[in-house]
Amino acid sequence: MVVLMCVVDKDKKSILCVGQHLRDFDVFNSVVNVIKAKKMDIEINVVILPGYIQFLKNKDVLNIFSGISDDSLKSLYQRSTCLFIPFKDAQTSCTAMLEGLSCGTPIITSKVGDNADYLDDSCSIMPERNDKDGLIDAIITVMNDAINQKMRKAAREKSLDFDWKVISERVKRFHERVLS
């Protein structure tokens, strides 16, 4: 395990950002600047490959992880107040967001690609791409304990739509329709 910079407070409200593919680091850094400037009491944890750390600004307010175990990653998802992943561009389903859902972690992400096809407003908030103010408002909203608990439950329930048993049955039905 490689932990580059880390002082995690498990009792503090926290944001988790995982990954680097198509991530909008400019937007991420802008949002972190606002959190820092407003002196919001929010811990920011980032799981990223070492080669991408150079794109992160304000490292003094970030806990940066790389090469951590699956159990450590699961623990970060489970204790995070939200998963925050601003995207630059469209992508297919994002593993980090599916992992977040399965751990019951509310998701704040950009409305790009197929995000709206598998996330909904019960478990996520999706401002338009580059909407820094919308992302900051979303973070503030999700920090509310009552809203967070409701979204956590919805995220876990939504994750069950992606259980392999459910997906394999859908694929089987699709093949049956196509081949009949």
Side-chain angles (χ1 to χ4, degrees), residues 135-171:
L135 291 166
I136 292 163
D137 289 345
I139 289 169
I140 291 167
T141 297
V142 172
M143 293 298 144
N144 175 286
D145 291 333
I147 292 170
N148 188 271
Q149 286 307 310
K150 185 177 175 183
M151 290 181 77
R152 292 184 88 74
K153 183 177 183 215
R156 182 64 188 126
E157 288 172 1
K158 185 73 171 167
S159 76
L160 299 176
D161 291 345
F162 304 102
D163 181 285
W164 180 241
K165 291 175 186 170
V166 173
I167 297 296
S168 64
E169 192 57 39
R170 286 182 194 153
V171 170

Side-chain angles (χ1 to χ4, degrees), residues 39-143:
K39 298 183 179 179
M40 298 168 76
D41 193 23
I42 300 172
E43 183 176 82
I44 305 168
N45 298 309
V46 181
V47 179
I48 192 167
L49 290 173
Y52 290 85
I53 293 172
Q54 64 185 326
F55 299 112
L56 301 172
K57 308 298 180 213
N58 292 306
K59 292 180 184 76
D60 60 314
V61 297
L62 304 176
N63 294 317
I64 303 172
F65 302 84
S66 188
I68 62 174
S69 70
D70 290 344
D71 286 339
S72 295
L73 179 59
K74 181 172 100 175
S75 178
L76 281 172
Y77 279 119
Q78 289 173 332
R79 70 174 182 244
S80 294
T81 309
C82 68
L83 178 63
F84 174 53
I85 305 181
F87 282 104
K88 279 190 213 182
D89 205 349
Q91 84 291 334
T92 59
S93 63
C94 172
T95 301
M97 290 195 297
L98 293 172
E99 291 171 343
L101 285 176
S102 70
C103 290
T105 309
I107 298 172
I108 299 171
T109 189
S110 310
K111 189 175 185 178
V112 296
D114 67 351
N115 287 352
D117 292 335
Y118 68 98
L119 297 175
D120 60 42
D121 62 1
S122 71
C123 61
S124 66
I125 302 175
M126 292 181 281
E128 296 296 325
R129 179 183 14 224
N130 296 319
D131 183 358
K132 297 169 193 164
D133 291 334
L135 291 166
I136 292 163
D137 289 345
I139 289 169
I140 291 167
T141 297
V142 172
M143 293 298 144

Side-chain angles (χ1 to χ4, degrees), residues 25-37:
F25 291 108
D26 292 333
V27 169
F28 175 83
N29 290 322
S30 293
V31 170
V32 170
N33 282 339
V34 171
I35 291 169
K36 184 177 177 180

